[in-house]
Every structure is written in C-alpha cells, then in structure tokens.
C-alpha cells in the first residue's frame, strides 16, 4: 500500500458524535480510479447510506471500511482509532453480504454461532448470544432449519442475526434488500431500521435503490464516478439537489434549461425556450446575469387544470399525452406548445370527478414560485 502520513485522531475528532471518518481516501485498480478523494463522517448510532449506480465506487468504499480492500491513499478512523491498516478480523466491524453467504449445510443456529466459535467464545455464552440475536430478528423458532428451508426474507434475518451476534461497533450492509421482492422489501426496510435502533449499532449501507436509501437512512451520500456529489438527509437531497445529476438520480424531476434575466434578493427570473413565459423563482441565486442554468421542479409540485390560471404562479399551456394511474396518484405527461414534456403527479382525490383531464385534452400546468431549485450544473 502507498505510504501515507497518519493523521492523529485529535486532528479530526471535532464532533463528540462522530464515529466513523473517511479522510481523503483514494482507491486505484491498475489504471482505474475507483474512489476519488472521498471524505465523509458518520455519527454514532446513525444509519448512513451510500447511494449510487453500478460503478460509482460505493461498494469499493464499503469494502475498504470492512478491510477487504486497502486504500491507495487516505485514512479511515473508527471510534477515534485509525483502522486503515488493520486486517478485517481485527476490526470491530461486521459486514452482511448481498448474497447473505449462509452455509447451506448448517442449521440457522449453527450459521449464527459460527463466528463466535471461531473466536473461542465459551459454549454457554454462544448459546445465549445466538438466541438473543435470533429473538431480535424473530427467527428463534427456526433455529433447527437449514437455509434452503427458509424464504428470502427469513434468510436475510438470519444473515443479520449472524452479523449482530458478534456485537460489532459498525455494521456494513451491501445491497441488503436486493434479493427480496418489492412487497417484502418495503416491509423489511422498516423492520430492519427498528432492529438497528433497538441494538444501537452504527450502520453504513450500500444501495442503488433510491427508495431503500430514502426509507432507511438518517443521511445519505450520492456517489458518481468515485466521488461523493452530495451528502445530507433524504429530505435535503431530494428537495434541494445541488446538481442536475442529483436532481435526476434521486426520484423524478422536470429539468428546464434557461438564462438568468433578473436576479434580486427575493426572486429570480429565467427565460427558457421550453416555456412561453419567464420562469419565476422566489429566491435569488449566486449566479451572474446571462448565465445558463437549469431549474428542477418535482412532479408532485405541478398541478394540472383545464382553466387558464389567474394567480401569479408559473404556468404553461399544453396537451395531455399520457396518463398512468398509480393508485394514490395519477402520473400525467403534458406536452407543452414548445414540445417539452412536463411530468405531474396528481393526487387521485383531485381527479375524482367526471371532468378530470384525459389524453389529448388541452390543459395548463402550474407550479408555485417557491418549489423550484436553480442548478448551475
């Protein structure tokens, strides 16, 4: 591994709740830079998500936290200890793999007990700790079964019990729900968070599933091409993306391109070829006049109606080109006069009348001045 200067814990430990710190970590495989100067901190007892598409560097970063990969440069700290050079078996860290990696020839009890036996823990203590962990994940009644006799959700619980039984300081989860179907996955996400809260373990999970990250994480970091491009709470990242990439990657959005023509402290106006009227945003921006910017407007902030609006909101005329009923809401696609297609998520309760707009109907799309985010990149 490339020689680096160690950073004393006192140099970075400025927050009493800071539990994990990744300090300017780089990982290079041959000619490929998989992780590019990543720095982040995770608080004690926090559930933190690394979110990104395949090849973004999130799994490589997780493997460096676990000790399965060595950083090319940079340091990793856990609870005020530099663990960068520690082998996996000496780290107070446990990792639950995407495949669960259960031993097929062993019972549930034996799978959960395996790590404790390897450490030479006394037999009586092993028994107590195994069933404590199985009780926690509601699998004690399945202790004599083997993995092939369990559902995917049950196997995931066993893998979680095996990870928790060693009482790690840090739990790493690699795509923990990917093997489950959607209905079970949604239920398990909530249950897993409750278990983690009950145990009080700090957890970092890797996922490409936006919904999973938004549901489970206290905070998340969006990764792209080996870098963290935005970090914050799910609400912050969703409502206030810092780039076109994040706005498009997290959920669905409408992205208009335009030029700043007015910039005051309390509002900005942007002219866009995609809109027949200037787009009004109720806050100023730090970008200069005449600069090209992008404006993100989430579909749930867009209303659809037949009558031309009179209130001083942003609006545009168009024709409904597609409607998809999603249960609690309808997803509208409205083709504006410019040809640009606006997405709108309209609550079903707002459409519970005979005059609800349908395909090929002329409509107006409307959104408030304060629901848009101006992006410079």
């Amino acid at each position: 591994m490339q020689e680096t200067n160690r950073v004393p814990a006192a140099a970075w430990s400025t927050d009493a709740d800071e539990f994990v710190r990744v300090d300017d970590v780089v990982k290079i495989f041959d000619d490929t830079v998989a992780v590019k100067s990543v720095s982040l901190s995770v608080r004690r007892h926090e559930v933190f998500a690394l979110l990104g598409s395949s090849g973004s560097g999130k799994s490589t970063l997780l493997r460096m936290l676990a000790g399965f990969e060595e950083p090319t440069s940079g340091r990793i700290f856990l609870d005020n200890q530099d663990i960068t050079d520690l082998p996996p078996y000496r780290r107070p860290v446990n990792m639950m793999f995407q495949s669960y990696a259960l031993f097929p020839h062993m019972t549930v009890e034996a799978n959960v007990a395996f790590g404790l036996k390897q450490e030479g823990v006394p037999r009586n203590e092993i028994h107590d700790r195994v069933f404590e962990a199985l009780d926690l994940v509601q699998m004690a009644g399945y202790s004599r079964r083997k993995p092939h006799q369990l559902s995917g959700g049950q196997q995931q619980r066993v893998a979680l019990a095996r990870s928790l039984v060693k009482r790690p300081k840090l739990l790493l989860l690699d795509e923990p729900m990917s093997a489950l179907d959607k209905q079970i996955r949604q239920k398990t996400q909530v249950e897993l968070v409750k278990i983690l809260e009950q145990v009080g373990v700090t957890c970092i999970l890797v996922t490409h599933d936006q919904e999973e990250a938004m549901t489970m994480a206290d905070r998340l970091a969006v990764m792209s091409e080996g870098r963290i491009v935005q970090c914050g709470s799910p609400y912050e990242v969703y409502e206030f993306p810092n780039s076109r990439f994040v706005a498009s990657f997290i959920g669905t959005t409408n992205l208009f391109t335009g030029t700043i023509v007015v910039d005051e402290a309390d509002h900005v106006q942007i002219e866009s070829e995609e809109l027949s009227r200037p787009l009004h945003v109720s806050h100023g921006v730090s970008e200069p006049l005449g600069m090209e910017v992008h404006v993100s407007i989430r579909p749930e902030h867009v209303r659809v109606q037949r009558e031309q609006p009179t209130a001083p909101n942003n609006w545009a005329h168009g024709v409904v080109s597609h409607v998809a009923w999603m249960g609690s809401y309808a997803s509208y696609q409205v083709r504006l006069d410019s040809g640009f297609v606006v997405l709108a998520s309209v609550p079903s309760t707002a459409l519970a009348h005979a005059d609800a707009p349908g395909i090929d109907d002329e409509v107006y799309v409307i959104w408030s001045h304060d629901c848009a985010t101006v992006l410079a990149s």
Side-chain angles (χ1 to χ4, degrees):
M1 187 177 79
Q2 178 176 321
E3 186 65 29
T4 57
N5 294 323
R6 288 175 180 264
V7 179
W12 59 264
S13 184
T14 58
D15 184 345
D17 288 333
E18 187 175 58
F19 190 64
V20 178
R21 184 176 179 101
V22 176
D23 190 6
D24 199 23
V25 162
V26 173
K27 181 61 180 178
I28 300 175
F29 295 102
D30 299 323
D31 296 328
T32 301
V33 184
V35 175
K36 304 174 183 177
S37 300
V38 166
S39 295
L40 64 86
S41 64
V42 178
R43 302 175 188 129
R44 192 180 302 271
H45 302 154
E46 184 174 36
V47 178
F48 189 93
L50 297 172
L51 175 64
S53 56
S54 178
S56 62
K58 61 189 186 302
S59 293
T60 300
L61 182 56
L62 196 75
R63 290 179 63 82
M64 286 190 285
L65 287 163
F68 299 137
E69 298 286 354
E70 291 185 353
T72 303
S73 63
R75 312 303 297 176
I76 298 173
F77 299 88
L78 174 62
D79 199 13
N80 287 329
Q81 178 187 5
D82 186 340
I83 64 169
T84 312
D85 300 321
L86 289 181
Y89 61 87
R90 290 189 56 197
R91 300 186 184 203
V93 177
N94 221 324
M95 184 168 176
M96 192 177 94
F97 294 94
Q98 182 177 352
S99 64
Y100 308 147
L102 299 176
F103 297 113
H105 62 287
M106 291 185 181
T107 63
V108 165
E109 180 181 356
N111 264 284
V112 177
F114 181 80
L116 298 179
K117 288 182 178 179
Q118 294 294 104
E119 293 180 350
V121 176
R123 181 176 298 180
N124 288 343
E125 183 180 345
I126 289 176
H127 180 273
D128 292 344
R129 285 172 62 174
V130 165
F131 278 89
E132 177 186 352
L134 288 175
D135 280 334
L136 186 65
V137 299
Q138 301 176 4
M139 288 296 293
Y142 298 83
S143 63
R144 306 309 301 168
R145 294 193 186 184
K146 292 187 177 179
H148 73 273
Q149 296 173 309
L150 305 175
S151 68
Q154 290 170 334
Q155 289 181 31
Q156 192 231 35
R157 289 169 180 267
V158 174
L160 179 61
R162 187 176 61 181
S163 297
L164 294 174
V165 75
K166 295 180 70 174
R167 298 171 182 168
K169 287 186 176 182
L170 176 64
L171 177 64
L172 305 176
L173 304 178
D174 183 12
E175 300 280 2
M177 309 293 173
S178 62
L180 307 179
D181 62 46
K182 184 175 181 179
Q183 188 172 7
I184 296 176
R185 186 166 65 242
Q186 290 175 332
K187 178 182 178 182
T188 306
Q189 287 166 358
V190 177
E191 291 176 345
L192 179 53
V193 170
K194 289 180 180 177
I195 291 170
L196 296 175
E197 290 174 349
Q198 185 177 343
V199 175
V201 67
T202 304
C203 176
I204 300 176
L205 71 96
V206 154
T207 181
H208 67 278
D209 188 319
Q210 305 157 32
E211 182 179 320
E212 185 168 292
M214 303 283 280
T215 300
M216 296 182 62
D218 300 303
R219 288 189 305 138
L220 59 89
V222 181
M223 294 193 68
S224 176
E225 298 182 344
R227 299 185 186 277
I228 292 177
V229 293
Q230 187 169 358
C231 183
S233 70
Y235 173 81
E236 290 167 344
V237 175
Y238 182 81
E239 291 292 346
F240 307 106
N242 63 3
S243 65
R244 281 185 297 164
F245 173 81
V246 175
S248 300
F249 186 75
I250 302 292
T252 304
T253 195
N254 297 290
L255 276 176
F256 296 97
T257 301
T259 303
I260 299 174
V261 293
V262 175
D263 186 10
E264 302 293 343
D266 61 345
H267 75 281
V268 63
Q269 285 190 13
I270 297 166
E271 287 187 350
S272 171
E273 293 182 358
E274 294 143 0
L275 297 167
S276 57
R277 296 157 43 90
L279 197 155
H280 190 108
V281 181
S282 60
H283 58 75
V285 295
S286 58
E287 312 303 335
L289 285 174
M291 181 174 179
E292 182 179 273
V293 293
H294 308 275
V295 182
S296 169
I297 301 164
R298 298 291 185 184
E300 61 268 26
H301 296 313
V302 180
R303 303 197 311 275
V304 179
Q305 66 183 47
R306 292 181 182 276
E307 302 78 22
Q308 180 173 323
T310 56
N313 286 313
N314 293 297
W315 57 268
H317 174 267
V319 174
V320 177
S321 59
H322 184 74
V323 181
W325 294 94
M326 309 300 290
S328 60
Y329 70 96
S331 178
Y332 271 74
Q333 293 184 15
V334 178
R335 187 173 298 278
L336 305 185
D337 296 340
S338 65
F340 186 87
V341 176
V342 170
L343 304 177
S345 297
V346 182
S348 295
T349 52
L351 300 171
H353 55 80
D355 197 36
I359 294 177
D360 294 334
D361 286 348
E362 291 192 36
V363 294
Y364 293 87
V365 289
I366 311 158
W367 58 91
S368 173
H369 299 155
D370 60 1
C371 67
T373 302
V374 180
L375 308 169
S377 61

